[in-house]
């Protein structure tokens, strides 16, 4: 009897000491999300401080110029994009290098923290440096910005991404695991098609185990059609009548064809790699 009472008392004490199971897990997950959000804000503050310090080293911007630049991000219509380009060209004058570095830093910061409006900067790159050099610079800078977003998510973003897109993250993780041997082709396909949003890919890729070099190469190559469209449009901005004219049908067709080829290749490899059906 003594032994039974002692055992019951011990179990009761353990039940009282035990956390409240699922409720505790939810509280822990919420705490992780809050911590991740706070750390992201701290990184954003540091990045903003670094960009601000560089901009303070540039020649002063007139109030009217600053008002135009601020109103054009994100772009709402073609007139805002044209005004932004003209203001940057006026401000830069003959010093395209310093202006290009400032635009590049702004571009990387916006992509790192998924801030909309980078299309305006792609257009300005084309206007400043021409179709081909603008395209190369835009491709490199956009890859750097996406890779910076990847690294930020790898460091502090897992709880936040998991809480925002749990089902989509689980799907992406399954797809990456099943295509581990041909991951570059799959990532190229994702970049060439709208199957998953680019922001989600940037944030989720490190969480599901996509290596950085595979991610960066797929971003550089897979986003090339869109970057060329924006750079080419920037070089011929005066010929556009609306933002819809940015969509060159030939380049869009090329990107769609590349996506179809990538998808067909994935299906073909899945079929060839599948085990043969059992003999009856």
């Amino acid at each position: 009897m003594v032994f039974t009472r002692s055992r019951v008392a011990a179990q009761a004490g353990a039940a009282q000491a035990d956390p409240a199971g699922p409720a505790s897990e939810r509280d822990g997950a919420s705490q992780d999300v809050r911590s991740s959000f706070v750390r992201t804000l701290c990184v954003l503050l540091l990045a903003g401080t670094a960009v601000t310090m560089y901009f303070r080293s540039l020649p002063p911007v007139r109030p009217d110029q600053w008002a135009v630049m601020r109103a054009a991000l994100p772009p709402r219509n073609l007139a805002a994009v044209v005004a932004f380009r003209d203001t940057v060209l006026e401000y830069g004058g003959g010093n395209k290098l310093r202006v290009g570095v400032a635009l590049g830093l702004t571009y990387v910061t916006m992509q790192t923290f998924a801030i909309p409006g980078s299309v305006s900067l792609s257009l300005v790159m084309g206007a400043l440096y021409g179709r081909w050099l603008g395209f190369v610079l835009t491709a490199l800078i956009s890859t750097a910005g996406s890779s910076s977003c990847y690294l930020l998510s790898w460091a502090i973003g897992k709880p936040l991404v998991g809480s925002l897109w749990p089902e989509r993250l689980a799907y992406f993780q399954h797809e990456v695991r099943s295509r581990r041997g041909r991951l570059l082709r799959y990532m190229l396909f994702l970049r060439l098609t709208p199957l998953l949003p680019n922001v989600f890919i940037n944030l989720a890729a490190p969480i599901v185990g996509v290596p950085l070099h595979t991610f960066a190469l797929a971003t550089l190559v897979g986003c090339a059609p869109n970057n060329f469209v924006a750079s080419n449009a920037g070089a011929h901005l005066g010929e556009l009548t609306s933002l819809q004219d940015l969509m060159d049908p030939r380049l869009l067709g090329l990107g769609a064809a590349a996506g179809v080829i990538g998808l067909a290749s994935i299906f073909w490899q899945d079929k060839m790699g599948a085990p043969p059906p059992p003999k009856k």
Side-chain angles (χ1 to χ4, degrees), residues 91-155:
Y91 171 76
N95 199 346
K96 292 184 179 181
L97 177 60
R98 297 184 71 182
V99 172
V101 172
L103 289 174
L105 286 173
T106 305
Y107 200 122
V108 169
T109 302
M110 292 175 69
Q111 283 215 312
T112 300
F113 298 99
I115 301 172
S118 58
V119 63
S120 292
L121 303 183
S122 300
L123 291 170
V124 173
M125 284 291 185
L128 280 174
Y129 300 105
R131 175 193 300 171
W132 293 108
L133 181 57
F135 162 63
V136 172
L137 292 175
T138 301
L140 293 176
I141 292 171
S142 65
T143 302
S146 297
S147 299
S148 180
C149 184
Y150 173 106
L151 293 172
L152 179 66
S153 181
W154 172 80

Side-chain angles (χ1 to χ4, degrees), residues 28-269:
S30 299
Q31 181 63 34
D32 288 342
V33 171
R34 286 193 294 269
S35 299
S36 177
F37 183 69
V38 170
R39 290 194 295 268
T40 302
L41 287 180
C42 291
V43 175
L44 177 60
L45 179 61
L46 291 174
T49 301
V51 172
T52 301
M53 289 177 64
Y54 179 80
F55 272 87
R56 289 178 66 87
S57 70
L58 297 174
V61 182
R62 298 198 313 264
D64 59 317
Q65 293 175 331
W66 174 246
V68 171
M69 293 180 186
R70 185 175 55 186
L73 293 175
R76 295 174 179 82
N77 50 54
L78 183 64
V81 176
V82 172
F84 182 80
R85 179 206 60 175
D86 293 342
T87 302
V88 170
L89 290 174
E90 177 191 0
Y91 171 76
N95 199 346
K96 292 184 179 181
L97 177 60
R98 297 184 71 182
V99 172
V101 172
L103 289 174
L105 286 173
T106 305
Y107 200 122
V108 169
T109 302
M110 292 175 69
Q111 283 215 312
T112 300
F113 298 99
I115 301 172
S118 58
V119 63
S120 292
L121 303 183
S122 300
L123 291 170
V124 173
M125 284 291 185
L128 280 174
Y129 300 105
R131 175 193 300 171
W132 293 108
L133 181 57
F135 162 63
V136 172
L137 292 175
T138 301
L140 293 176
I141 292 171
S142 65
T143 302
S146 297
S147 299
S148 180
C149 184
Y150 173 106
L151 293 172
L152 179 66
S153 181
W154 172 80
I156 60 177
K158 184 175 180 178
L160 197 58
V161 175
S163 67
L164 290 174
W165 303 290
E167 295 180 0
R168 186 176 288 176
L169 185 63
Y171 165 79
F172 190 27
Q173 190 166 37
H174 170 74
E175 293 296 313
V176 168
R177 286 177 177 172
S178 63
R179 293 180 169 84
R180 181 62 63 184
R182 48 192 182 278
L183 194 53
L184 177 59
R185 188 179 291 107
Y186 176 64
M187 292 300 296
L188 278 171
F189 166 72
L190 290 182
R191 287 304 196 186
L192 288 165
T193 60
L195 184 63
L196 291 174
N198 280 332
V199 172
F200 172 78
I201 296 173
N202 294 346
L203 293 169
I207 297 172
V208 300
V210 178
L212 178 58
H213 65 276
T214 301
F215 172 85
L217 182 58
T219 301
L220 180 65
V221 177
C223 294
N226 290 335
N227 290 329
F228 183 76
V229 167
S231 180
N232 180 64
H236 302 88
L237 202 55
E239 302 172 11
L240 303 181
T241 58
S242 71
L243 289 178
Q244 298 299 321
D245 294 340
L246 294 176
M247 301 294 103
D248 188 326
R250 293 171 298 177
L251 291 174
L252 291 178
L254 178 62
V260 170
I261 293 172
L263 181 60
S265 175
I266 291 171
F267 284 160
W268 174 258
Q269 287 206 359

